[in-house]
Amino acid sequence: MKVIDCHIHLGGSNYTDLFPKYNSTVERYLAAVGKLNDVEVEKAVGFSNPVPYLAETKDYFNKSDYYSEKNREIGRKCMQYDNFLFAVSVNPESSFSRDEIERCVSQYNARAVKVHLGANKVGPGELEKKGIIGSAEKHNIPIILHGSLNYSDKLERVISNNRNVNFVIAHLGFLEKNYVSIVMNNKNAFFDLSLIHISEPTRPLYISYAVF
């Protein structure tokens, strides 16, 4: 079976530099999928993961230069492999998000945008206000969203108002009925099939084998 794995956390550490033991690298990923007997990963979409899920130091991950640093690291790495596509991570609160997308498309051939609304605790409207949707439409690249259950109604309005942009809702939308409705009602909305796998009692990891 051939798959497209469209949700790979990279950037040196799944939980940022604050939690170095959870390292996640391109090489480690390739070594893992190389051991699969029944699955061939045809393409893999990797993105930097600058959001510290377990940290409360919000200022740490809202700095635009930190996103740029991580995007630079992973953008360069993905360009070394034919089967890796790079998704630029942006902060939906930052006024520099549009410039960061433009930079990463130009320098690293970014083929998607990754936004984490839930961790940044902002509504979907910021995707339009900060020019994220405009840049995605300009370059014909999708937006991969880690959503929040608090914003599903607002997210549908944003998606339905921007039909020229494809939106990929991560983790099957947590199988929440409002997200399922969004995907069913909008031809430009999709799920990725990344699921939660508990490999250790206190360590949730996101794994994905997204089949298209």
Side-chain angles (χ1 to χ4, degrees), residues 1-14:
M1 176 176 64
K2 290 187 177 182
V3 302
I4 299 174
D5 190 344
C6 65
H7 197 118
I8 308 169
H9 291 194
L10 300 169
S13 173
N14 249 347

Side-chain angles (χ1 to χ4, degrees), residues 16-178:
T16 76
D17 299 329
L18 297 179
F19 303 93
K21 74 174 184 176
Y22 297 138
N23 286 329
S24 178
T25 65
V26 173
E27 290 79 10
R28 184 179 176 187
Y29 172 82
L30 291 175
V33 299
K35 298 177 182 178
L36 300 175
N37 295 322
D38 57 345
V39 174
E40 176 187 348
V41 178
E42 189 172 21
K43 292 290 182 181
V45 180
F47 47 84
S48 65
N49 192 46
V51 178
Y53 291 93
L54 307 181
E56 296 180 356
T57 54
K58 186 174 182 180
D59 289 341
Y60 178 78
F61 64 84
N62 279 340
K63 294 180 179 179
S64 59
D65 58 342
Y66 186 70
Y67 277 76
S68 295
E69 174 189 336
K70 287 298 183 182
N71 284 326
R72 185 179 305 111
E73 175 187 342
I74 298 306
R76 289 173 175 172
K77 180 65 70 171
C78 287
M79 291 181 73
Q80 298 176 19
Y81 298 91
D82 292 337
N83 62 331
F84 256 95
L85 303 177
F86 171 55
V88 47
S89 288
V90 295
N91 176 4
E93 292 183 278
S94 173
S95 58
F96 295 101
S97 291
R98 180 171 56 188
D99 292 341
E100 182 65 6
I101 295 171
E102 295 296 323
R103 183 183 74 86
C104 287
V105 168
S106 173
Q107 295 183 11
Y108 313 120
N109 192 30
R111 300 310 307 146
V113 179
K114 174 64 166 58
V115 181
H116 202 310
L117 295 176
N120 288 99
K121 296 181 174 60
V122 299
E126 294 303 308
L127 299 174
E128 294 175 309
K129 293 178 183 177
K130 297 302 189 294
I132 296 171
I133 289 178
S135 288
E137 181 176 4
K138 173 183 174 182
H139 297 287
N140 191 29
I141 57 178
I143 297 175
I144 303 171
L145 289 169
H146 190 302
S148 167
L149 300 182
N150 298 324
Y151 307 130
S152 57
D153 55 336
K154 297 178 181 178
L155 178 59
E156 180 158 25
R157 287 198 292 272
V158 169
I159 290 175
S160 63
N161 288 337
N162 294 277
R163 299 289 187 182
N164 292 330
V165 177
N166 288 331
F167 295 82
V168 180
I169 300 173
H171 312 310
L172 279 172
F174 315 107
L175 291 179
E176 204 272 338
K177 64 180 182 180
N178 288 350

